[in-house]
Amino acid sequence: MAKMNLLQAVNNALDIAMAANERVVCFGEDVGVFGGVFRATSHLQEKYGRARCFNTPLVEQGIIGFANGLASQGSVAVAEIQFADYIFPAFDQIVNEAAKFRYRSGNLFNVGGLTIRTPYGGGIAGGHYHSQSPEAYFAHTPGLKVVVPRNPHQAKGLLLASIRDANPVIFFEPKRIYRASVGEVPEEDYELPLGKAEVVREGSDITLLAWGAQMEYLELAAELADKEGISCELIDLRTILPWDVETVAASVKKTGRLLISHEAPITGGFAGEIATTIQEQCFLHLESPIARVAGLDVPYPLALEKEYIPDQWKIFEAIKSSVNF
Amino acid sequence: MAKMNLLQAVNNALDIAMAANERVVCFGEDVGVFGGVFRATSHLQEKYGRARCFNTPLVEQGIIGFANGLASQGSVAVAEIQFADYIFPAFDQIVNEAAKFRYRSGNLFNVGGLTIRTPYGGGIAGGHYHSQSPEAYFAHTPGLKVVVPRNPHQAKGLLLASIRDANPVIFFEPKRIYRASVGEVPEEDYELPLGKAEVVREGSDITLLAWGAQMEYLELAAELADKEGISCELIDLRTILPWDVETVAASVKKTGRLLISHEAPITGGFAGEIATTIQEQCFLHLESPIARVAGLDVPYPLALEKEYIPDQWKIFEAIKSSVNF
Amino acid sequence: MNTDTKDRTIYKPQFIRGDALKIPTYRVLKQDGSLYKNAQAPEVDQPLALRIYSSMVRTRMLDERGLASQRQGRLSFYMQSTGEEATTVGFAAALDDQDMIMTQYREQGALVYRGFTLDEFMNQLFSNALDYGKGRQMPIHYGSEKLHFMTISSTLATQLPQATGYAYGQKLAGEGHCTVAVFGEGAASEGDFHAALNMAAVLKVPAIFLCRNNGYAISTPASEQFAGDGIAPRGIGYGMHTIRVDGNDILAVLEATRQARKIAVEQNEPVLIEAMSYRLAAHSSSDDPSGYRSNAEEAKWRDLDPLLRMKNWLLQQGWWSEEEDKALFEADRQAVMAAMKKAEKVGRPHIDEMITDVYDIPPAHLQQQLQDLKAHIRLYPEVYPKSALQLDAPEGVNRG
Amino acid sequence: MNTDTKDRTIYKPQFIRGDALKIPTYRVLKQDGSLYKNAQAPEVDQPLALRIYSSMVRTRMLDERGLASQRQGRLSFYMQSTGEEATTVGFAAALDDQDMIMTQYREQGALVYRGFTLDEFMNQLFSNALDYGKGRQMPIHYGSEKLHFMTISSTLATQLPQATGYAYGQKLAGEGHCTVAVFGEGAASEGDFHAALNMAAVLKVPAIFLCRNNGYAISTPASEQFAGDGIAPRGIGYGMHTIRVDGNDILAVLEATRQARKIAVEQNEPVLIEAMSYRLAAHSSSDDPSGYRSNAEEAKWRDLDPLLRMKNWLLQQGWWSEEEDKALFEADRQAVMAAMKKAEKVGRPHIDEMITDVYDIPPAHLQQQLQDLKAHIRLYPEVYPKSALQLDAPEGVNRG
Ligand SMILES: Cc1ncc(C[n+]2csc(CCOP(=O)(O)OP(=O)(O)O)c2C)c(N)n1
Ligand SMILES: Cc1ncc(C[n+]2csc(CCOP(=O)(O)OP(=O)(O)O)c2C)c(N)n1
Ligand SMILES: [Mg+2]
Ligand SMILES: [Mg+2]
């Protein structure tokens, strides 16, 4: 075990993946010599050479188009999009191409070797274009997997699993806690399962569900609730698509209540999908409406960021409302 | 009043908009001399000249980028994307630019004059890339309005309102019923309100909600249900964003049941948003789980299209399940 | 900066005009089958010449019958490549059969040349259970793993950056293969075109970008698509080896592509080829060109028919006769019709194929959705008669 | 087809090499302030020269103080334009003040030239209630409707097709204005660049595309951004008037842009200008260039300082003295610091601005969300102290 922050865990996972399989190739804007603007790819070019870790020209649609082609050829393509806010020029290559590659060819060709890494989320004074959480856009797209880790240990295991998964994966990295989240991480090669949520804390009164950086607020809110005698069960969804209905439904059947929190604007966010599925599966168990604590329906603001964030206080209030319904 | 099909109604609305305001400009791939591949812009170049109705080069991101600039200059830009399946290369210009233009500039600049028209939906043997219903992707984007008409009368009134609305609007045209949907349409200039759903049929046992071409299946299903003595209230949402919570909630409070249908894949579709909001607002009124009848979570298939479609039989079965819950 | 401006300084503000760079067209073969005075025929022996020519003829017959059966309502959709066969067959003939081909949709000639059988064509066109694509895409979206022909996607130009990536993988693999990406002059307006060519030049990949400049993108003439001298000068802008060829001249296309391949594979440098031709047919079976272009214009190009040109050359070589020619056309026409009849009789893909290949393994929610769908079909067998019949049958034999 | 290939035929397959088209650089002014032998100074009188120079100096001082206060923790972020002032001020000086300017983010020089006040700069940088952008975007995302300067967006190259559209609107309006879009050589790799320039050429719009080729895109050197001779040859590919200028040469930039504007406005034809310069500072306050380039390289370019070059020219003209120069720098430094202090004291945008401007009128759901937020803030005033104070105050006075 070693103490690592989330960035180091990502870097370590990439290092291990590249060492274990020479077909793994990492690329993106400033990913080469510089090691990425967050330094997630530090030293990889030094270690594995320019052919396997390199800068691309500044063109996201090209990066993902290139990655699709490279993956279809049989290489393992790990593409970085510098900020999740800049993934949209590549939307067509992701949604129309990567997601449909295997299906449309009847499995003659596939881009299972593709992983897209990208830092997402706010709380870093990034304004509209360095703060977005676009996971829901991709979660409406059959053929993709969407993964978000909450801490260094999860990041390493989930990223290694994503790189090796036989399907295209978008791996969203919570940049607010890139350095702040520090923890023990096994030094060896390990994978955590995709498509499986994790119950990180058991409780009996209400189920709290989130992913990525938002898990921190959930935990703080659960502590606040604890003090009021409300017992919260905490679930980290980890994989947004395909998501683990079973684990969530089992928890809600037990607690009778569900609160989902994400940073993205509330309307059309992925909480809607979860809530709808759960109200269907757990209708007779629900003691109060499923609650959402999410971003407002506005572009991510700068000066009013603190007010925008679905923080522990908002979650705590929603917990109380749900329990007192 | 005149008998028109949906395409003619669209063409008529564009004609009226261009005649009434010389700053209205229509453009897109093949929209000039040819009048668009579906002929929605027929004769507009003849009538209003090449400067106001013209072909663009084949580049969707350019078409919408151009449209954003043109609208920010004060023109009224009506851009056509040939198929909604091809709107994704323009995703960044829509989601990062059009949607945030006013907010990010503190209202110094805006692209309120922008309307994007695009044919959407399946049922025409179009396979993956001539069948998609991508409305949910845009409905997760504050700053946009998203509108879908169900018939010629609605198409004309909603399109005129969209063109004149002071916000960027994506106007999805149900191409399956472009020619099949025929009805009386007032010849004069009129607008129908954005952001307002329409109760198209009153009923007491269950509320059925959809938009666009899917309304046809809803009506057929309601007739089937009628024969079994189930009284359905039918609502056409018309505007997906911002949507009319009030009308839907009022209906559900009356009927106690809600079924939502859309053609897009179920996971992450807009039904999830509606259901979640309604379970919150109508929790104590709901007599059964809110039901969704939607596309499967697969790319739109060709040979198995009939099986894929959320048709009246699937809706009818879901109605019965809901009523018998 | 790799722009060393030292010794190229001007002291007056001279703008370079857009038409400063005129790219000439490489031609070998005249329409009458003779060579241009200064031209030299590439090395082509009789078997290769006949393989090429018969592929062009078969492509023509495929297209003739394809459209006819669309008109008869047997096919839902078809796209002809008439007039462009010298380009689409010619480039394929210049390649190693292991080189990857990624096309737009009007390049059936290349597939014919590679040996895609009529049955394989027809299974795709009829979306039957034997279609490698499992009936999921519209007609003409062919693909063949064994022939190194990437399954076609309708979204224009997306294959171009993919070709750059594929070629990069080939370079890493070091087995001496290249990728050829083919696209229309309309598709060259897409952002993906720019991304692909620039990245290919910077990352030095063994890729050939072959633009079929056939004058139209559906109804949009090239004059409303770009203002410069076609697509070729853009290659120079990217710092890429570039050539323009007469796309109706089989020998020019063949030789240009051969040399392009040599550059790509030996130097790991991409090449841009612009093949000038004309889309003689409608854009697709859904299109009617009479609304946007004249018969006279079409007639002018019909006179430049690439099949005729090659036939004339073959005749002059003494490798071919009018009788053989007639017989070949007729035999191919019959063969195409026979294959059609056969494919029409094959059942359609199994309902289980609705959810396979979305992921490597169908996840739980998709299995549930399929199960629900099947339960529904059991309730309404008359609404979904074809799949109702399949419910209890084993999954179809449709893997290629 | 507008590619008439008739009289330009070749009979041997000659590939044109990527370096076939070398575009020279237009220069007027040497570093010592004298003109090149064959060069001619554009018409510039003393007042204009001093307006230009003082804008360059102010830009330099803004950048110096901007970075310093980021280092002090007063600003969250800053981007310097050091080394590129001749380009960013020079192009603005060549325009009509009504022409629209759409920039990337490193063009504060143009805004200074147009008369954006230090207070206006500071209000944006400090995201205070007087910021026209209502504190919604990161520092340096300026905009001014009255100065015809489009609010900056962080997403690279998106302003380019927008400039094409804006210019199209100007052409329709027929008032003789044009649009200038400025972007980096890195941004020129984006698909939007291709879309913008091709559409501009085809639709014949009065737009000037000005590329600041400063050698780097964050850490990525131009050599890993493109393989050709910079950005200029692409203009030729699009059939567009094109020129390359020494971006550190104020007179060359001024004259090239003046003539470009003439072409744009009089002929309704777009123009591409590539200005060769160097990003002397770090990419932004978050960047440290020592990881990817050498001090020696930086030093070489520091010797080509465009301010110094212009000052030398002014001195030679007898329009300026070292004393005046020192005084100007010092006065500007003081003025910037004073404006900063002032802006820091202005309160932040009102909480109500959270939901305005998403739409023209806040729809019901946004009003509800704001109401809920305010109710929450009332519960936890200590968590959101600044907005808690605003709850009962009237909305701020922050419209420009
Ligand atoms: C991204 C995208 N936009 C639009 C279309 C619709 N479309 C299909 S073919 C076509 C014209 C293509 O013209 P060109 O590239 O010149 O090829 P050609 O048909 O002439 O062979 C268009 C606009 C599409 N398939 N994909
Ligand atoms: C679409 C997009 N992708 C990536 C970024 C992140 N980014 C910001 S600036 C920059 C480099 C831009 O370089 P260049 O265009 O050369 O301008 P310069 O900084 O040299 O002035 C990058 C990659 C972005 N802002 N937008
Ligand atoms: Mg074409
Ligand atoms: Mg740069």
Side-chain angles (χ1 to χ4, degrees), chain A residues 135-136 209 211 237 240 243 258-262 264-278 290-294, chain B residues 140 272-273 276-277 279:
Chain A
E135 69 276 5
L209 176 68
W211 47 87
L237 193 59
I240 311 299
W243 65 286
L258 176 62
L259 179 154
I260 311 158
S261 182
H262 56 63
I266 187 164
T267 297
F270 201 65
E273 177 59 34
I274 298 169
T276 301
T277 301
I278 293 301
I290 298 169
R292 292 187 286 178
V293 183
Chain B
H140 185 42
E273 177 60 34
T276 302
T277 303
Q279 64 88 32

Side-chain angles (χ1 to χ4, degrees), chain A residues 95 135-146 211 237 239-245 268-278 280-281, chain B residues 133-137 140 260-273 276 292-299 308 310, chain C residues 358-359 363-369:
Chain A
V95 160
E135 69 276 5
Y137 290 116
F138 299 99
H140 185 41
T141 311
L144 301 178
K145 294 194 177 181
V146 179
W211 47 87
L237 193 59
T239 298
I240 311 299
L241 187 72
W243 65 286
D244 184 355
V245 181
F270 201 65
E273 177 59 34
I274 298 169
T276 301
T277 301
I278 293 301
E280 205 197 318
Q281 301 223 350
Chain B
S133 298
E135 70 276 4
Y137 291 117
H140 185 42
I260 311 158
S261 182
H262 57 62
E263 218 179 273
I266 188 163
T267 297
F270 201 65
E273 177 60 34
T276 302
R292 293 186 287 179
V293 183
L296 279 76
D297 284 322
V298 306
Y308 177 87
Chain C
V358 181
Y359 296 92
H365 70 290
L366 277 175
Q367 293 184 31
Q368 184 64 50
Q369 289 175 16

Side-chain angles (χ1 to χ4, degrees), chain D residues 184-186 212 214-217:
Chain D
E185 90 293 340
R212 295 184 290 95
N214 62 7
Y216 286 88

Side-chain angles (χ1 to χ4, degrees), chain A residues 60 82, chain D residues 104-106 154 156 185-187 212 214 216-217 283:
Chain A
E60 292 76 13
Q82 202 162 79
Chain D
Q104 181 158 310
Y105 50 56
R106 208 184 293 285
S154 317
L156 288 169
E185 90 293 340
R212 295 184 290 95
N214 62 7
Y216 286 88
H283 170 69

Side-chain angles (χ1 to χ4, degrees), chain B residues 29 58 60 82 86, chain C residues 104-106 154-156 184-187 190 212 214 216-218 283:
Chain B
E29 294 159 14
L58 207 173
E60 292 77 14
Q82 202 163 78
Y86 304 135
Chain C
Q104 182 157 309
Y105 49 57
R106 209 183 292 286
S154 316
T155 48
L156 288 169
E185 88 293 341
E190 291 282 6
R212 293 184 294 95
N214 62 6
Y216 286 89
I218 308 186
H283 169 69

Side-chain angles (χ1 to χ4, degrees), chain B residues 30 58 60 307 311 317, chain C residues 190 219 225 348 380 384 387:
Chain B
D30 303 294
L58 207 173
E60 292 77 14
E307 286 73 11
D311 62 17
E317 286 304 310
Chain C
E190 291 282 6
S219 76
Q225 195 67 247
R348 67 179 196 153
Y380 295 91
Y384 318 93
S387 27

Side-chain angles (χ1 to χ4, degrees), chain D residues 95-130:
Chain D
L95 301 180
D96 184 301
D97 279 348
Q98 311 268 336
D99 293 335
M100 173 52 73
I101 296 178
M102 295 186 172
T103 66
Q104 181 158 310
Y105 50 56
R106 208 184 293 285
E107 296 84 358
Q108 44 268 46
L111 252 182
V112 169
Y113 182 86
R114 282 249 168 123
F116 206 59
T117 66
L118 287 176
D119 288 341
E120 290 176 306
F121 274 106
M122 292 304 150
N123 292 335
Q124 201 290 325
L125 290 173
F126 285 95
S127 313
N128 70 25
L130 297 171

